[in-house]
Amino acid sequence: MIVELYKKNWKKLLRSERIKNTVYGNGIERYGEYIFSVIEKLPSPDELKKLLEKVGGPTTVEELGIPQEIVIESLNEAHHLRDRCTGLLLLNQIKETPIRL
């Protein structure tokens, strides 16, 4: 889920005026293209799913046994748990609507 969110939203994040006007703006301006290049190199969500299936790992929320509501709430609130800049924190900074599955 996270890789899919990053891949779908990183370009928008790089251009976001909301991010430019935060404490993270300088870091994104300075390192954003590098971070984006790293994200681009990550396996696709489909490739990750195949790798997880290969080793017998869960590939869906249902297989994890976690209610979807908890996952959605986590995607929208987990960035408050630690005082550090993560992709999820940045995505929550620019979102116009809650993150959904």
Side-chain angles (χ1 to χ4, degrees), residues 28-55:
I28 293 300
E29 186 174 321
R30 192 171 190 183
Y31 301 108
E33 290 297 329
Y34 169 74
I35 296 167
F36 177 69
S37 73
V38 171
I39 289 170
E40 285 290 297
K41 293 175 187 172
L42 292 172
S44 72
D46 287 339
E47 291 173 279
L48 288 172
K49 182 178 179 179
K50 288 176 186 172
L51 290 169
L52 285 168
E53 287 171 343
K54 191 173 185 176
V55 297

Side-chain angles (χ1 to χ4, degrees), residues 1-2 4 8 13 15 17 24 31 34 36-37 43 45 49 51 54-55 61 69 72 81 84 94:
M1 282 182 256
I2 295 295
E4 186 173 0
K8 283 184 177 179
L13 200 147
R15 296 187 302 266
E17 289 299 318
Y24 311 111
Y31 301 108
Y34 169 74
F36 177 69
S37 73
K49 182 178 179 179
L51 290 169
K54 191 173 185 176
V55 297
V61 172
E69 297 79 28
I72 291 168
L81 292 174
R84 68 170 67 169
I94 67 165

Side-chain angles (χ1 to χ4, degrees), residues 1-10 43-45 48 91:
M1 282 182 256
I2 295 295
V3 169
E4 186 173 0
L5 282 171
Y6 286 177
K7 285 184 175 275
K8 283 184 177 179
N9 294 291
W10 196 259
S44 72
L48 288 172
L91 291 174

Side-chain angles (χ1 to χ4, degrees), residues 70-82:
I70 299 291
V71 175
I72 291 168
E73 184 178 355
S74 296
L75 291 171
N76 287 282
E77 300 297 329
H79 64 281
H80 294 294
L81 292 174
R82 291 189 171 164

